[in-house]
Each structure stands twice: as structure tokens, then as C-alpha cells.
Amino acid sequence: MTDTQIKNSIWTARFLGDKQREQDHRSPFQRDRGRILHSEAFRCLQAKTQIHAVGEDDFYRTRLTHSLEAAQIGSSLRAKLNEDKVGFQAVCSLQKFANFGQDLTALLPSRSLIESLCFAHDIGHPPFGHGGEMALNYKMRELGGFEGNAQSFRIVTQLEPYTENAGMNLTRRTLLGIIKYPALLSKTFPQEPKVIPENRYINLHQMKTSKGLFDDDKHFFDWVLEPLSEPDRILFTTVMLNPNPQLPNTTRYKSLDCSIMELADDIAYGVHDLEDAIVGGMVTPQSWQYAEKALLECESEWLQKRLPEISQKLFSSHRYERKDVIGGLVNYFVTNVKWHETADFDEPLLRFNACLPKEVKQVLDVLKAFVYQYVICDVKTQRVEYKGQRILMELFDMLSCDPTRLLPKSVAERWKQNEESKRPRIICDYLASMSDGQAFKLYQSL
């Protein structure tokens, strides 16, 4: 095999030897996409809150439709990067990487791979959105914590029943792309965590969620990073200490594939969730004026020319006009994606990322901040989130008091087979896997 073939085989390797089905013509990444699409965790996204509560209105996006839209945007971003050979050469500081500029398909993820990452990026989120995430993180605060992206990694490497002990048994490169925060939670936890006393009524916003992977899953994390040189591994997993010791520390880097997926997720969040909020009446022409004011301060010439038209069409009585603006905004972000050289990595999958130019990123940041302030922080949304928090926290306590009696038989067996220190994680996994409706029904039944 050539050096390139050997390198490719390292990144298409799986933790376990893969079963070969008769006449299966698919590439390794096409098989990954199939496993994610057909998984229980992916199907459950249809009944998990994106922003608006599931069932509130059939128009609103769920985590499932959001993931499908992110996948389409991710494919478009990949296609645009593949066209930008001049842009790649411009950011490439070392000659040994310049050869990729002739054929960027050798570096870029395949369409199947980028779709796989977008399909999988939210499968670890628990019921009731980020409120559920905060609730489980609070209950697990002395036991390794909880974080949605870490749970996604745990699902694909262990919990999804495609194999006995290796989850979906995905390729190494797919797993690398799923890791948004390449460090263990023990490294990103605050140096002096804020003490929140045990109470029935607490403000979970006082406890910021740390980002990273569960320490329990270190062996899978180590396996993913195995092909990297030691300097690359050290640099990639670097954590920046927060000057405020009560706040989480942060990671610095992500892989090329992950950067494309994350950008697709941000675009879908900033644009499509804004559309939901306008249709649902949460964003009005009056509240939109605050976004207009911030957008006018952006350096984007494209936006300055079109902002009056965008504002008019977003609130037009003709739905096709609003749809035209939404499509135009997505296209603006996609067509401006650029190559970026991150740091002095030997591995090209780490050395290069996708990014938006400063003036374009400003526009997306304004939209995301506006959605957060006027939609997510809306009192109606927050009350639903708070209710979900309470439900999950009480369910955790109920199930913990008598697990063998209250947990489903298969989960109770796993609970019994694990040592005492790891048993709370089994309960946490069970609650995180539920849809909003399943959690609410269980709460009512208990």
C-alpha cells in the first residue's frame, strides 16, 4: 500500500473488526451514515425539543428536522470548500500540504461523512433541550458531570446496540469529527466549582456546563487519537484555563470535519430557528428592531444593501417572500465559507478548518445572539425549560432510590453489573435517551 492508502486505512479503521455483509458496495463512511440514520438515538430526535416544545405546533423544528437541515447545509459547505483551491493555497504555509490544493477531495470529508456528523451531532442531547442538560449535569456534578456532546460520543461508541460493547462501531475519522471539545471533562471542570446547595428549587444557570468528554470514555478517546503524533495529540487536547476559577475551562481546537459540521449547525440555528420564532409570533417587527440595530453595525456590505428588504420580507404576509429571505441568508453564509489554518499540526485534518470571514461571522453572531435573547430567553420558553429540569431532577432521584425496582429490566441488569461508582451514569444514560414525551409519561406514572 502507498503512504496515502495506509493513512486512509488508519482513519477508516473501527474499534472492532467490522462484519462484512454480502455484496455490500458501500464505502466505510456510507456505512457509518446508515448506522446513524437507522439508530434508536437518531429516531428519538423527532420527539426532542429544539427550541419550542414538541407538539406545540407541527410547523416548529424538532432536533430531527434541525439535524436534517444541518446535514444539507454541511454538504453545501463542503462543496464550496472543494471549489476554493486558490483560497486553500493562500492559507497553506507549508509546501508539504500544498499538494492538497490540486485535489481537495483527498482532504475534505466525503458527503456521506459530513452528513453522518450532522445527523449525529445532537443525538446525545437529553429531553427538554438545554434545560435537561443542566439538570443531569447538576445531578452528576460529583460523578463526572453531564454534557450533550459527550453523551453523543458515548452513544456512538458504547450505548447504541449495534454491537455488544462498541456502540455503532463507527470509523475513527467519523468519531474524530463528532468530538467538538477534545478534552476530558476533568480537565475542563472549573478549578474552584461554585457550590450550589441541594435544594428542591435551584437556579441551574448558576452552574455553567463544562464541555468535553466523560472520563469514563477515555479509552475510546485515546483510540481515536492513536494515529496522531505526540506533539499533535498534546496540542489538540490543550485546555485554556479560565481566569475566573468558578467557570469552566475551554478547549482550543477541533478537526476539519468537525468545523464544517459545527458551522452548519450554527447556520441552521441562527437562520432556521429565527424563522420558527417569526412564524410562531415570538419575534415581532418591534423586537426585530433590536436585531436591525446590531446588524447595521456589521461590516458586511452585502447585508447593508439588503437589510431593509430582508426586514420587510421576514414579516411579509406572503410566505414565499419570507422563505426567499431565509434561503438567501443561508446561501450568503455558505458561499462565503473559507479555509483557515489553525496551528502547527502535522496532521492536515487538524491543521485546517472551515471558517467565515470576520464581516460574515459578525452577521451570523448577531442572528444567534438575537435568537438566544428573544426566543430561548423568552419567559414562555424558559418556563417549559424549567418544568423539564424539575421533571428530570426528580426522576433521577426517584430512580436512584430503588433502581432494580423502577428501571426497565435491561437497564437494571446493566446497573447491577457495574461497580457502585459507575451506577449513577447508568441512570443518567437512561434518562438522557428519552424523548420529552417519554420522560413526562414516566414522571406521571411515578
Side-chain angles (χ1 to χ4, degrees):
M1 286 197 297
T2 65
D3 289 346
T4 302
Q5 287 173 325
I6 292 171
K7 197 169 184 63
N8 287 340
S9 68
I10 289 172
W11 288 112
T12 56
R14 302 179 189 274
F15 192 78
L16 297 179
D18 206 23
K19 59 182 78 170
Q20 292 298 315
R21 304 196 187 278
E22 293 180 19
Q23 300 181 30
D24 189 348
H25 62 280
R26 296 173 300 165
S27 71
F29 300 124
Q30 286 174 327
R31 292 203 292 275
D32 283 355
R33 181 178 61 181
R35 290 176 195 186
I36 295 166
L37 270 172
H38 293 284
S39 67
E40 294 176 20
F42 183 72
R43 287 198 303 278
C44 194
L45 294 178
Q46 68 187 306
K48 285 190 178 183
T49 296
Q50 172 64 11
I51 289 182
H52 303 275
V54 173
E56 196 174 307
D57 191 304
D58 290 341
F59 174 84
Y60 295 143
R61 288 164 170 89
T62 63
R63 291 249 174 217
L64 179 66
T65 57
H66 161 75
S67 298
L68 295 173
E69 288 174 335
Q72 187 275 323
I73 294 170
S75 294
S76 298
L77 290 168
R78 180 208 168 276
K80 186 66 176 67
L81 287 168
N82 195 38
E83 293 174 359
D84 191 17
K85 295 178 175 59
V86 174
F88 178 81
Q89 295 285 4
V91 303
C92 194
S93 63
L94 289 181
Q95 185 58 39
K96 70 175 182 176
F97 295 117
N99 292 337
F100 282 117
Q102 305 304 314
D103 182 16
L104 288 172
T105 55
L107 173 61
L108 282 164
S110 66
R111 181 174 174 177
S112 299
L113 173 52
I114 199 62
E115 287 182 351
S116 295
L117 299 181
C118 292
F119 291 156
H121 83 280
D122 265 354
I123 60 175
H125 276 277
F128 309 116
H130 289 290
E133 182 180 47
M134 288 189 287
L136 292 179
N137 184 46
Y138 174 73
K139 286 299 177 183
M140 295 293 291
R141 64 194 183 281
E142 306 290 340
L143 303 159
F146 179 85
E147 197 267 326
N149 297 288
Q151 191 70 12
S152 295
F153 185 76
R154 184 169 172 82
I155 287 169
V156 298
T157 56
Q158 292 177 75
L159 301 181
E160 183 67 30
Y162 185 85
T163 63
E164 185 177 0
N165 297 309
M168 299 182 197
N169 197 29
L170 303 178
T171 59
R172 181 182 267 120
R173 181 165 174 176
T174 299
L175 293 178
L176 179 69
I178 286 172
I179 299 172
K180 289 176 70 172
Y181 309 102
L184 298 176
L185 281 173
S186 58
K187 302 292 185 185
T188 61
F189 278 148
Q191 301 160 72
E192 300 172 15
K194 190 170 185 177
V195 178
I196 302 179
E198 187 74 45
N199 197 307
R200 192 176 180 195
Y201 304 106
I202 57 175
N203 180 0
L204 290 181
H205 286 278
Q206 295 176 353
M207 182 179 171
K208 301 298 181 185
T209 305
S210 301
K211 305 290 186 181
L213 299 176
F214 300 131
D215 285 51
D216 288 346
D217 304 335
K218 181 179 182 299
H219 56 299
F220 283 104
F221 185 37
D222 289 343
W223 180 81
V224 173
L225 302 185
E226 226 171 67
L228 303 179
S229 65
E230 187 174 357
D232 272 11
R233 200 177 306 127
I234 293 171
L235 182 58
F236 186 56
T237 57
T238 298
V239 170
M240 295 185 293
L241 295 181
N242 199 309
N244 183 341
Q246 291 194 328
L247 294 178
N249 306 313
T250 54
T251 57
R252 295 183 63 187
Y253 303 108
K254 54 180 62 66
S255 69
L256 167 64
D257 305 344
C258 184
S259 72
I260 300 172
M261 174 267 282
E262 190 168 41
L263 183 52
D265 182 28
D266 284 349
I267 294 170
Y269 166 72
V271 180
H272 290 143
D273 288 349
L274 171 64
E275 180 186 15
D276 274 6
I278 291 172
V279 173
M282 297 182 75
V283 170
T284 64
Q286 289 71 37
S287 59
W288 176 249
Q289 290 176 4
Y290 293 99
E292 279 186 313
K293 183 178 178 182
L295 290 170
L296 283 169
E297 296 174 2
C298 294
E299 299 170 16
S300 167
E301 292 183 9
W302 180 90
L303 183 78
Q304 301 302 335
K305 291 178 182 177
R306 292 166 176 79
L307 186 55
E309 178 190 0
I310 288 172
S311 297
Q312 182 268 316
K313 287 187 173 181
L314 279 177
F315 298 94
S316 170
S317 58
H318 302 294
R319 290 184 295 174
Y320 68 88
E321 290 192 336
R322 182 176 60 248
K323 210 67 189 171
D324 178 57
V325 167
I326 294 297
L329 284 169
V330 172
N331 182 70
Y332 172 62
F333 296 127
V334 168
T335 54
N336 278 284
V337 65
K338 302 292 182 188
W339 286 96
H340 169 65
E341 198 169 30
T342 60
D344 191 23
F345 288 107
D346 291 326
E347 172 54 59
L349 291 178
L350 306 185
R351 192 179 188 99
F352 302 102
N353 272 191
C355 73
L356 293 177
K358 177 188 171 186
E359 70 277 7
V360 182
K361 187 175 184 298
Q362 282 179 340
V363 177
L364 183 56
D365 287 346
V366 167
L367 294 180
K368 287 169 57 184
F370 180 77
V371 169
Y372 178 79
Q373 185 174 356
Y374 288 92
V375 182
I376 293 178
C377 293
D378 177 79
V379 66
K380 183 179 177 184
T381 306
Q382 286 300 305
R383 284 178 175 176
V384 172
E385 182 181 280
Y386 182 74
K387 179 180 179 180
Q389 285 177 2
R390 290 285 310 281
I391 288 172
L392 278 191
M393 290 169 68
E394 293 200 25
L395 281 174
F396 190 95
D397 291 341
M398 291 175 189
L399 296 175
S400 298
C401 77
D402 199 348
T404 56
R405 178 184 176 200
L406 299 176
L407 287 171
K409 187 175 181 181
S410 59
V411 181
E413 284 300 314
R414 280 185 59 221
W415 186 88
K416 286 189 282 189
Q417 290 165 8
N418 274 269
E419 55 194 78
E420 191 168 346
S421 63
K422 294 188 176 182
R423 285 175 171 175
R425 179 69 62 192
I426 306 301
I427 296 172
C428 185
D429 287 340
Y430 173 59
L431 291 174
S433 71
M434 290 183 161
S435 68
D436 297 20
Q438 287 172 324
F440 188 64
K441 286 177 184 175
L442 177 60
Y443 179 75
Q444 285 183 314
S445 72
L446 293 177

